[in-house]
Amino acid sequence: MVATKPQIKKNVIKGTDPEKLKLGRYELFSADESKMNLDLDLNAFKFEGGRDLRRLYHDSDRIVVAEYYMAKCPTCKIMRELMHPLMKKLRGSVQFVEVEILEDQDVIRQAGLFSVPAVQVFKEGQIIDHFSGLQTATKLRQRFSALLQQHQDIY
């Protein structure tokens, strides 16, 4: 009798589909959830929290940059200090939403995140970029410059 190796299950957050981490079209947040925040000013630039993210995901006509962080995370603090000036420069081209992971755990589960700091970039309900971990200011500028050039038709 030959012993078989037990299958090892990947460490996946309950309810998260690993396929959602791939770039492409899928329903990250349900359309019903986006209607929870109807008073949101879609012409604004900066937003906070999962409710705002859900609404922007479905209804924004601009690129939506979602930055996920944890308030007590030192790496997140550095990343936020790098992201904020860049996002201000991109005002008018993107909408920026910050999501504190401990306050919006449902959003984190639905987004399929495994670590912070993390950034997901959406256009018309589709992930067009995502990354996690600390990035340099130069790398961030290059990344967003390339994204904006690639998706110019949005303006």
Side-chain angles (χ1 to χ4, degrees), residues 126-148:
Q126 180 177 5
I127 283 188
I128 58 174
D129 195 13
H130 65 114
F131 55 92
S132 62
L134 188 58
Q135 309 283 314
T136 65
T138 303
K139 207 172 209 178
L140 288 170
R141 279 193 303 273
Q142 291 170 345
R143 187 173 211 133
F144 283 102
S145 176
L147 275 172
L148 291 175

Side-chain angles (χ1 to χ4, degrees), residues 98-148:
E98 297 176 300
V99 181
E100 210 292 344
I101 64 165
L102 296 179
E103 294 175 7
D104 291 294
Q105 292 181 12
D106 284 345
V107 170
I108 302 314
R109 182 183 46 77
Q110 290 171 328
L113 296 179
F114 294 97
S115 64
V116 290
V119 174
Q120 290 181 326
V121 185
F122 305 99
K123 177 186 173 192
E124 298 171 354
Q126 180 177 5
I127 283 188
I128 58 174
D129 195 13
H130 65 114
F131 55 92
S132 62
L134 188 58
Q135 309 283 314
T136 65
T138 303
K139 207 172 209 178
L140 288 170
R141 279 193 303 273
Q142 291 170 345
R143 187 173 211 133
F144 283 102
S145 176
L147 275 172
L148 291 175

Side-chain angles (χ1 to χ4, degrees), residues 73-88:
C73 166
T75 307
C76 296
K77 183 177 179 181
I78 295 168
M79 184 69 165
R80 292 178 77 202
E81 290 172 2
L82 295 172
M83 286 287 289
H84 286 213
L86 178 59
M87 292 298 108
K88 285 180 183 176

Side-chain angles (χ1 to χ4, degrees), residues 33-118:
E33 292 173 315
S34 73
K35 303 306 175 207
M36 295 186 324
N37 200 8
L38 294 175
D39 59 340
L40 187 69
D41 178 10
L42 291 175
N43 295 316
F45 158 69
K46 187 176 177 202
F47 302 87
E48 289 185 20
R51 286 174 48 131
D52 289 357
L53 175 57
R54 287 179 179 108
R55 178 74 192 277
L56 292 170
Y57 174 84
H58 287 282
D59 297 337
S60 179
D61 60 352
R62 290 187 251 166
I63 291 175
V64 176
V65 178
E67 179 185 27
Y68 303 94
Y69 70 98
M70 188 170 68
K72 293 184 178 183
C73 166
T75 307
C76 296
K77 183 177 179 181
I78 295 168
M79 184 69 165
R80 292 178 77 202
E81 290 172 2
L82 295 172
M83 286 287 289
H84 286 213
L86 178 59
M87 292 298 108
K88 285 180 183 176
K89 286 182 182 177
L90 299 177
R91 180 181 227 127
S93 302
V94 302
Q95 290 178 304
F96 180 55
V97 59
E98 297 176 300
V99 181
E100 210 292 344
I101 64 165
L102 296 179
E103 294 175 7
D104 291 294
Q105 292 181 12
D106 284 345
V107 170
I108 302 314
R109 182 183 46 77
Q110 290 171 328
L113 296 179
F114 294 97
S115 64
V116 290

